[in-house]
């Protein structure tokens, strides 16, 4: 059953699978490998490339961050002027004209041809983004051409396109890159695109943390779409049942803390299945999963001003040490298994549990496996934290990440001009109206620009960013604990976003090799984080002292 993973092994076997990355280059920039020599500049050098003009960017998270497209280059998906759902599904309801795009904004903006890039995402989400583009095009409000890109190379692709002047009008990305893009002078605040009343009305749709995490230096750069919460412990119920660790409904009784997680992993580590699988590659998603666990243990990358690295702290060190202990009960090739592979093993009953974001449910659902409800094969639970959190900072209630729409300044003659801004803002108004934010809470339809309902396959395994979507029955059925937490005010009371600061990309490049070296048993967690601290400080000094 486990042959394809290789023979079970000791930490020494695990170390054999460890491959040291190329030496960290310090204050490097976010370019693709093919551009790295050509664009061998510090982040400060990037800033001088900022040009005139503006382009609207729809930046998505995490949340929409699955590397489901293997190629790093774009694939054109459509330039359609007709939409199947409109011609094959009769409208269910017509919304009052005062709330439709046709009634409120169509006359304000000239027709424009806009390009729309989406990075990653599950197929249900990709189809929904395509529907938005096609419905808007069919309504005659503009022409939206959507192109899919790989999540795995998102930062390199977007940054290179910006520098080359070949970027899109609209892009789906994550909010963690906002500080770096602002430093490059690539973003324009949303506050500058509409009246104060319009911006306030849009902000009021969202749970406040999603406005806060897409704001930087007092400006708002992104309006949200979807979110993920974490960390979440995902358990394969049948394996827990083998050891009598289930409740009356046959659902796993999860570990309450790290000590219990280690005990359960050891107990359930048999010849038939591993005790745990936690993604341990140097990929952004896998490092994010580690980072949010560090935050739950009181760790933070930097001081509040972002200028001093603070990761050589028990909040990080003890979390990494927890990983090294759990590695004894994970596959020997775990250093090469990303979040998709670990989710696959878990969903097949080849491991007892995993730790990730809540989107594990969405991935499993995408594969046709019943991923939630009483008859699901897995159950999902709040994170099992350090029994005695050891970091120097406060302990959050939950970590968030989100998808949001942003506005980029354009470079090059092929970028959209300022005259197209009204058209782009109009598209943003359409895609962010309340009903079109609710599918990420389980709602099975969106609205076309005329206000007609168009059926869609709702997403699961996400949380919305709009207040209303947290109160729906569909969201309650998917995430009863989160539904109750939102209702009683506890869910976001002490919530924190995943790390967002200027220099994060460089700091994560420093973290990856040291993170894996510790898990492979080549270094202690303390030595690894001491090295990361030194490298991270070089990154920050390169930004603030050069």
């Amino acid at each position: 059953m486990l042959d394809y993973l290789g023979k079970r092994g000791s930490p020494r076997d695990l170390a054999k699978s460890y491959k040291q990355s190329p030496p960290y280059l310090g204050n490097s920039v976010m370019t693709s490998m093919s551009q790295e020599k050509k664009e061998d500049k510090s982040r400060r050098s990037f800033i001088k490339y900022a040009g005139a003009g503006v382009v609207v960017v729809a930046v998505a998270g995490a949340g929409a961050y699955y590397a489901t497209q293997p190629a790093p280059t774009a694939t054109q998906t459509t330039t359609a002027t007709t939409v199947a759902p409109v011609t094959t599904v009769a409208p269910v309801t017509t919304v009052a004209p005062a709330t439709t795009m046709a009634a409120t904004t169509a006359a304000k903006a000239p027709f424009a041809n806009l390009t729309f890039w989406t990075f990653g995402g599950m197929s249900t989400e990709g189809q929904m983004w395509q529907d938005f583009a096609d419905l808007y095009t069919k309504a005659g409000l503009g022409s939206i051409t959507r192109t899919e890109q790989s999540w795995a190379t998102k930062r390199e692709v977007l940054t290179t396109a910006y520098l080359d002047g070949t970027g899109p009008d609209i892009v789906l990305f994550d909010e963690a890159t906002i500080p770096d893009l602002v430093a490059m002078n690539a973003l324009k605040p949303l506050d500058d695109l509409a009246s104060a009343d319009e911006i306030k009305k849009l902000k009021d749709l969202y749970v406040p943390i999603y406005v806060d995490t897409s704001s930087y230096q007092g400006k708002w750069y992104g309006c949200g779409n979807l979110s993920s919460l974490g960390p979440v412990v995902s358990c394969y119920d049948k394996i827990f049942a083998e050891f009598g660790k289930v409740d009356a409904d046959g659902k796993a009784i999860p570990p309450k803390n790290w000590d219990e997680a280690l005990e359960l992993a050891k107990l359930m580590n048999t010849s038939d299945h591993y005790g745990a699988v936690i993604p341990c590659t140097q990929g952004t998603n896998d490092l994010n999963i580690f980072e949010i666990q560090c935050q739950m243990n009181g760790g933070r990358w930097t001081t509040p001003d972002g200028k001093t690295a603070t990761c050589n702290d028990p909040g990080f060190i003890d979390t990494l040490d927890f990983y090294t202990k759990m590695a004894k009960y994970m596959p020997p090739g775990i250093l090469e298994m990303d979040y998709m592979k670990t989710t696959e093993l878990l969903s097949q009953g080849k491991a007892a549990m995993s730790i990730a974001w809540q989107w594990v449910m969405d991935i499993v659902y995408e594969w046709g496996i019943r991923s939630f409800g009483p008859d699901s094969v897995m159950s999902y639970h709040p994170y099992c934290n350090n029994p005695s959190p050891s970091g120097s900072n406060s302990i959050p209630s939950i970590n968030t990440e989100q998808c949001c729409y942003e506005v980029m300044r354009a470079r090059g003659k092929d970028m959209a001009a300022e005259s197209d801004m009204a058209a782009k803002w109009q598209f943003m108004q359409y895609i962010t109206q309340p009903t079109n934010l609710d599918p990420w809470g389980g709602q099975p339809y969106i609205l076309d620009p005329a206000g007609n309902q168009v059926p869609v396959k709702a997403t699961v395994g996400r949380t919305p960013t709009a207040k209303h979507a947290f109160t729906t029955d569909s969201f309650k059925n998917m995430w009863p604990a989160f539904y109750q937490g939102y209702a009683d005010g506890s869910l976001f009371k002490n919530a924190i976003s995943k790390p967002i600061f200027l220099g994060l990309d460089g700091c994560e490049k420093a973290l990856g090799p040291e993170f894996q070296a510790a898990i492979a048993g080549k270094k202690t967690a303390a030595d690894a984080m001491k090295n990361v601290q030194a490298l991270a400080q070089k990154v920050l000094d390169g930004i603030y002292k050069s």
Side-chain angles (χ1 to χ4, degrees):
M1 181 177 185
L2 301 172
D3 289 347
Y4 75 98
L5 293 175
K7 296 180 179 179
R8 288 185 173 278
S10 64
R12 179 178 298 176
D13 296 317
L14 186 61
K16 290 179 181 178
S17 70
Y18 168 74
K19 296 179 179 178
Q20 181 71 37
S21 293
Y24 176 64
L25 298 178
N27 192 24
S28 61
V29 296
M30 297 181 296
T31 54
S32 65
M33 293 303 293
S34 62
Q35 293 285 322
E36 192 162 313
K37 291 184 179 180
K38 179 181 177 182
E39 304 289 352
D40 187 17
K41 306 175 181 69
S42 68
R43 185 171 279 102
R44 277 196 174 274
S45 297
F46 257 69
I47 296 175
K48 72 180 183 181
Y49 281 92
V54 183
V55 96
V56 171
V57 183
V59 177
Y65 42 90
Y66 304 109
T68 55
Q69 302 298 321
T73 56
T75 302
Q76 190 73 27
T77 57
T78 186
T79 324
T81 55
T82 60
V83 185
V86 176
T87 59
T88 60
V89 180
V92 179
T93 304
T94 299
V95 178
T99 64
T100 65
M101 289 295 301
T104 60
T105 62
K108 295 182 181 179
F111 186 95
N113 297 306
L114 305 177
T115 55
F116 181 24
W117 287 7
T118 60
F119 287 79
M122 305 308 291
S123 66
T124 51
E125 294 167 329
Q127 184 57 55
M128 206 174 318
W129 296 322
Q130 187 65 56
D131 289 343
F132 284 136
D134 291 345
L135 291 166
Y136 192 84
T137 299
K138 181 176 176 62
L141 301 176
S143 175
I144 310 294
T145 301
R146 174 176 170 263
T147 301
E148 286 190 5
Q149 297 273 14
S150 169
W151 179 265
T153 55
K154 64 185 188 300
R155 292 175 180 173
E156 294 87 345
V157 168
L158 182 60
T159 304
T160 301
Y162 168 72
L163 292 176
D164 290 345
T166 58
D169 298 305
I170 304 165
V171 69
L172 208 59
F173 209 60
D174 74 320
E175 87 277 38
T177 313
I178 287 175
D180 284 304
L181 292 175
V182 171
M184 292 167 57
N185 198 31
L187 293 185
K188 185 177 180 68
L190 298 181
D191 315 73
D192 297 346
L193 300 180
S195 69
D197 287 343
E198 285 182 287
I199 294 297
K200 183 181 184 303
K201 183 178 180 181
L202 188 54
K203 284 184 175 180
D204 285 347
L205 293 176
Y206 298 105
V207 176
I209 191 172
Y210 295 117
V211 175
D212 294 342
T213 59
S214 57
S215 300
Y216 184 64
Q217 296 179 337
K219 295 290 187 177
W220 189 38
Y221 287 95
C223 47
N225 186 316
L226 61 94
S227 173
S228 289
L229 302 179
V232 167
V233 180
S234 301
C235 304
Y236 196 80
D237 293 328
K238 287 185 179 179
I239 294 179
F240 275 69
E242 289 178 27
F243 299 92
K245 303 295 184 179
V246 292
D247 60 21
D249 296 322
K251 310 306 288 183
I253 300 174
K256 295 183 179 67
N257 53 52
W258 287 353
D259 292 344
E260 289 191 12
L262 286 164
E263 290 175 5
L264 288 172
K266 181 179 180 180
L267 176 67
M268 299 178 183
N269 193 48
T270 72
S271 59
D272 293 324
H273 42 67
Y274 291 98
V277 281
I278 304 174
C280 293
T281 75
Q282 296 183 39
T284 299
N285 282 349
D286 297 353
L287 294 178
N288 283 166
I289 292 167
F290 170 71
E291 290 165 342
I292 62 175
Q293 292 176 75
C294 293
Q295 293 192 153
M296 295 297 289
N297 191 34
R300 301 292 187 273
W301 263 112
T302 73
T303 51
D305 63 7
K307 296 180 180 180
T308 303
T310 59
C311 54
N312 189 22
D313 175 270
F316 273 76
I317 295 169
D318 292 344
T319 305
L320 184 53
D321 189 58
F322 170 63
Y323 266 64
T324 67
K325 293 174 180 176
M326 287 291 282
K328 299 175 184 177
Y329 314 115
M330 296 195 289
I334 193 65
L335 297 181
E336 298 175 359
M337 295 182 186
D338 66 4
Y339 63 100
M340 292 292 284
K341 186 60 180 180
T342 55
T343 300
E344 177 187 348
L345 296 178
L346 181 67
S347 70
Q348 294 173 347
K350 295 173 181 175
M353 59 184 160
S354 186
I355 299 172
W357 292 91
Q358 68 176 127
W359 38 244
V360 166
M361 179 195 286
D362 211 352
I363 297 174
V364 175
Y365 180 77
E366 183 89 356
W367 292 337
I369 300 172
R370 183 64 177 173
S371 61
F372 68 98
D375 58 343
S376 65
V377 300
M378 293 161 57
S379 55
Y380 313 88
H381 309 272
Y383 181 56
C384 56
N385 205 2
N386 187 344
S388 300
S390 55
S392 303
N393 301 276
S394 61
I395 309 304
S397 58
I398 200 76
N399 288 264
T400 69
E401 62 175 358
Q402 70 162 323
C403 146
C404 55
Y405 299 103
E406 300 176 6
V407 177
M408 279 186 88
R409 299 183 185 277
R411 293 188 71 249
K413 63 182 180 180
D414 295 327
M415 305 294 282
E418 185 78 30
S419 60
D420 285 336
M421 188 51 60
K424 298 174 198 138
W425 179 244
Q426 177 175 285
F427 183 76
M428 289 182 72
Q429 288 179 292
Y430 166 59
I431 205 168
T432 59
Q433 59 185 296
T435 305
N436 286 344
L437 296 174
D438 286 353
W440 282 273
Q443 175 184 277
Y445 62 88
I446 59 175
L447 296 183
D448 67 14
N452 300 314
Q453 288 184 5
V454 177
V456 295
K457 186 175 182 180
T459 64
V460 303
R462 303 278 203 181
T463 48
T465 53
K467 298 172 184 175
H468 172 262
F470 280 91
T471 67
T472 63
D473 288 341
S474 55
F475 183 70
K476 180 179 180 180
N477 290 337
M478 290 190 298
W479 295 101
F482 291 157
Y483 175 91
Q484 182 58 41
Y486 183 78
D488 63 26
S490 63
L491 181 60
F492 294 111
K493 185 176 182 180
N494 298 307
I496 187 174
S497 72
K498 69 179 184 180
I500 302 175
F501 61 90
L502 182 59
L504 173 61
D505 186 62
C507 290
E508 287 181 340
K509 285 180 171 62
L511 172 63
E514 299 293 329
F515 168 75
Q516 288 199 321
I519 296 170
K522 286 181 170 288
K523 295 182 179 181
T524 66
D527 286 343
M529 291 314 305
K530 181 180 179 180
N531 291 340
V532 174
Q533 168 102 357
L535 293 168
Q537 191 59 56
K538 288 182 180 179
V539 172
L540 300 177
D541 288 347
I543 295 169
Y544 293 105
K545 293 185 178 181
S546 61

